[in-house]
Amino acid sequence: EDQVTQSPEALRLQEGESSSLNCSYTVSGLRGLFWYRQDPGKGPEFLFTLYSAGEEKEKERLKATLTKKESFLHITAPKPEDSATYLCAVRYMKTSYDKVIFGPGTSLSVIP
Amino acid sequence: DAGITQSPRYKITETGRQVTLMCHQTWSHSYMFWYRQDLGHGLRLIYYSAAADITDKGEVPDGYVVSRSKTENFPLTLESATRSQTSVYFCASRRGDRGFAFFGPGTRLTVL
């Protein structure tokens, strides 16, 4: 079954304590992996797109990496304003059309 | 203002009533999407549209109807609301065939 999973489900960090979030997928024919940030009561906001294994993207304290079956979102020295739910989504070839499925998200809390 | 908007932001209705959720984008993006977000399920695609007058089913289309007579608008109608349709609904748009989507702020719908 085509699936996207994320771990951990929830993560509490002290301010400045670096960590990583995981997104694993079982689909074939990856066309792109997306990371989004979602604040409470708001829609997801785009962060990164990764297309091939070995690719990395960075933005401020966030770095996203991609391997053949998973992606990591590394958070370096997080601040309280990084608290949010982080979603990953994969786009892949499904028979004759592209499909996008989202993972359930990781809820990150950064404590001052 | 430029962007993607949804209305209403909150809606309470009763079982059996018809409800229409509105979505409007100002970018003239070709693609538009409707998702629902529920705890434990993440974002699931209800319907999408590749252009005006072209719509197609997503993962969970039953009980929903969409139309797209104008590029900028993509309303979602629940013909006869059920309690299982209580959810947060997000509209999204995407410029072309690839790339990431921009999400609206969401509509929280409660069906009593």
Side-chain angles (χ1 to χ4, degrees):
Chain A
E1 182 189 355
D2 298 330
Q3 202 169 3
V4 177
T5 57
Q6 292 187 246
S7 61
E9 187 175 320
L11 181 63
R12 280 172 64 98
L13 299 173
Q14 289 294 128
E15 184 171 1
E17 179 187 2
S18 301
S19 188
S20 296
L21 313 182
N22 177 265
C23 171
S24 296
Y25 55 93
T26 58
V27 308
S28 300
L30 184 74
R31 294 287 195 99
L33 185 141
F34 306 90
W35 281 100
Y36 289 85
R37 169 193 170 124
Q38 186 174 22
D39 292 300
K42 295 190 176 182
E45 180 183 341
F46 170 76
L47 291 173
F48 304 109
T49 308
L50 302 166
Y51 289 106
S52 56
E55 190 175 357
E56 297 183 354
K57 293 273 180 73
E58 281 190 71
K59 180 180 178 180
E60 296 180 357
R61 295 176 292 282
L62 301 177
K63 183 167 83 171
T65 62
L66 182 64
T67 68
K68 283 196 174 181
K69 285 300 176 186
E70 59 188 351
S71 176
F72 292 93
L73 185 65
H74 307 278
I75 304 175
T76 302
K79 298 183 177 182
E81 53 262 41
D82 295 322
S83 297
T85 296
Y86 291 85
L87 306 174
C88 77
V90 297
R91 181 173 181 171
Y92 62 105
M93 188 69 175
K94 180 78 173 178
T95 57
S96 60
Y97 64 95
D98 277 10
K99 187 172 179 180
V100 174
I101 53 176
F102 280 80
T106 292
S107 176
L108 173 67
S109 299
V110 182
I111 313 302
Chain B
D1 288 350
I4 183 165
T5 56
Q6 294 183 235
S7 62
R9 294 294 315 280
Y10 303 91
K11 177 74 177 178
I12 299 174
T13 191
E14 294 177 340
T15 301
R17 290 191 180 264
Q18 183 179 80
V19 177
T20 296
L21 309 184
M22 303 301 293
C23 178
H24 176 78
Q25 52 104 355
T26 61
W27 296 302
S28 298
H29 284 174
S30 298
Y31 287 81
M32 295 188 75
F33 309 85
W34 275 106
Y35 288 90
R36 60 178 290 174
Q37 188 174 40
D38 305 286
L39 276 175
H41 286 283
L43 283 160
R44 290 182 292 174
L45 182 65
I46 304 170
Y47 268 96
Y48 70 97
S49 168
D53 297 322
I54 301 175
T55 62
D56 210 345
K57 295 178 181 179
E59 184 184 352
V60 288
D62 293 345
Y64 303 96
V65 174
V66 293
S67 62
R68 195 165 175 210
S69 58
K70 292 184 177 181
T71 299
E72 61 266 30
N73 296 325
F74 191 38
L76 176 74
T77 297
L78 288 66
E79 294 187 297
S80 179
T82 64
R83 288 198 183 91
S84 65
Q85 293 178 309
T86 292
S87 187
V88 181
Y89 291 84
F90 288 100
C91 178
S93 71
R94 190 176 73 206
R95 184 174 64 183
D97 190 36
R98 296 190 67 189
F100 63 92
F102 292 86
F103 282 81
T107 294
R108 183 174 292 276
L109 176 68
T110 301
V111 183
L112 301 176

